[in-house]
Amino acid sequence: MEATIAEQAWARAFGAAMETIVGCFARREARATAAELTAGLLLELDTRNCWTLAQALGHAGPHRLQHLLSRARFDHDAARRALARLILGELAGQDAMLVVDETGDAKSSTDCVGAGHQYSGALGGVGLCQVAVHLAVVTPAARVVIDRALYLPADWAADDERRELTGVPDEIGFATKPQQAVAMVSGALDAGAQARWFAGDEVYSGRQLRRDIRALGLGYTVGVAATHQVTDGTGRRWEACKILNKVRPRQWMRRATGHGTKGTREYDWAWLDIRPDDTPEGHGDGTSVLVARRHRYTGEVSYFRCWTPGDIALGTLVEVICRRWRIEETFQLAKGFTGLDQGQVTCWNSWMRWSLFSLIAQAVLALTLAATTNTAPAGPGRLVPLTCPELVRLLRVLVLPPPARDRDHALHWTTWRRRHQAISRACHQQRHLLQDQL
């Protein structure tokens, strides 16, 4: 019964998503290709790019997909806004919060739009990569990314030659990640997001961002470094790690933060009142606190700066802080099941459109899972709730077309790839020869 409900929920969610963006295309051929690409991203493939997807979908070559991503008349910005309105409408009435985080994709050349030597948590340090800031709406039942912005490093944004080669629009200039985050949050609220909280990590803990978030009417919980400066009630400045010494041993509270494969995850929590330093003009001070989370075994401490317009309980702040981590799970699912970091695209339009179709596939999965969880009858106690990976496995059997793997088709693609690679090799060799002669 649960599988039947999932199949019906997928049909409704996928149909609604495609219907939402139908007016953003100039031609029906592009609309049909977009639907194929979105469903194809969920097929069982080792890698996902125009070549592998075109072969799996039964195309004779990657040209239709490449045309859709780069040259087709398609307003991808309008499609993203329409998708966001659909998602927010589906999640209306739920206890939602807005979460922002970034993820990086390793690249081999700075020719890719926005690629440069920069820090990425996904890479574990500094490397040649693209970095994108994502905004997700998180509820107790669902987590869906509704917007994204490609970060252009300052030197990259100022390089007119690279901008022209990759098709970066003239109106797109350098913006810091916090500025991109505020712009996306403002856009989500304008689109109808019913959220009371904003959450982010240390990158999004700057004073100006916190002031902007408060001006938008949201409370916030943001991670801060141990050296982050706060002001106590007497006006004295402290580092977060030093003011924590004011907390007595019995003031730490142990609270569950979730359930993992090894059982319930529990941490010790404490908080201290601090003075706000980000009050917008004409706004009240509200409640500003520093929250500390301590690992019960290692003793490692993390710090979070929080603000809310009224009184708040520690348990509520703990719930909001812990819900932020669900965006990390969303990134893992997007990279593992919808090819978020596998597009092998180099230009602005191609990146925007590939990431959009990946977000559409994620959104359809999330809405399908939420509908299945809310309507399916409870199973035996030995079954855990349906997860997104399990849902994808079901959909691959029930509704998604199997990848094309007949003999003639496979031989055609083997010949096509080898011929294309031979031409590419010859062109590279000729280019190097010409460069040597200069």
Side-chain angles (χ1 to χ4, degrees), residues 399-412:
V399 296
L400 294 173
R405 290 197 172 104
D406 60 275
R407 183 177 184 275
D408 291 341
H409 185 65
L411 291 175
H412 164 79

Side-chain angles (χ1 to χ4, degrees), residues 7 59 154 189 221 239 248 258 269 316 331 337 355 405 438:
E7 185 175 1
H59 297 182
L189 295 176
T221 65
E239 290 185 350
R248 297 178 180 178
W269 297 82
T316 302
F331 286 151
F337 291 100
S355 62
R405 290 197 172 104
L438 295 178

